[in-house]
């Protein structure tokens, strides 16, 4: 299932969506979430495919935001 990460500059937050699940977090926490999903891939190898989608979406968002600076 594809994961989508979007940035809301007005609220200084990002939203991570996967299927029916959705979570919104402060943009300052983006690096923490990238780290979290990378650690989950190491801890739970059987779920790597699921966590990899989340990490990929968050990393793409981080790259996009760095490009805006």
């Amino acid at each position: 299932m594809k994961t989508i990460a979007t940035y809301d500059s007005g609220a200084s937050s990002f939203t991570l969506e996967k299927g029916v699940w959705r979570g919104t977090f402060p943009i300052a926490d983006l690096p923490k979430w990238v780290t979290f999903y990378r650690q989950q891939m190491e801890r739970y190898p059987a779920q790597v495919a699921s966590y990899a989608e989340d990490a990929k979406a968050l990393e793409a968002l981080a790259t996009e935001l760095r490009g805006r600076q």
Side-chain angles (χ1 to χ4, degrees), residues 1 4 12 44-45:
M1 184 174 299
I4 300 168
S12 294
Y44 305 103

Side-chain angles (χ1 to χ4, degrees), residues 12-24:
S12 294
S13 65
F14 71 95
T15 299
L16 191 63
E17 297 180 58
K18 187 171 193 174
V20 297
W21 183 87
R22 177 185 302 189
T24 300

Side-chain angles (χ1 to χ4, degrees), residues 2-69:
K2 183 174 174 136
T3 303
I4 300 168
T6 55
Y7 175 55
D8 181 346
S9 61
S12 294
S13 65
F14 71 95
T15 299
L16 191 63
E17 297 180 58
K18 187 171 193 174
V20 297
W21 183 87
R22 177 185 302 189
T24 300
F25 311 94
I27 197 63
D29 290 349
L30 181 58
K32 294 176 191 176
W33 283 103
V34 170
T35 299
F36 170 79
Y37 282 106
R38 286 179 184 162
Q39 289 173 342
Q40 293 298 92
M41 291 188 317
E42 292 174 10
R43 290 181 184 139
Y44 305 103
Q47 300 300 320
V48 164
S50 177
Y51 291 125
E53 280 293 318
D54 301 335
K56 180 180 171 183
L58 292 172
E59 289 167 349
L61 179 60
T63 299
E64 176 186 331
L65 294 176
R66 278 193 298 273
R68 292 183 186 183
Q69 295 177 359

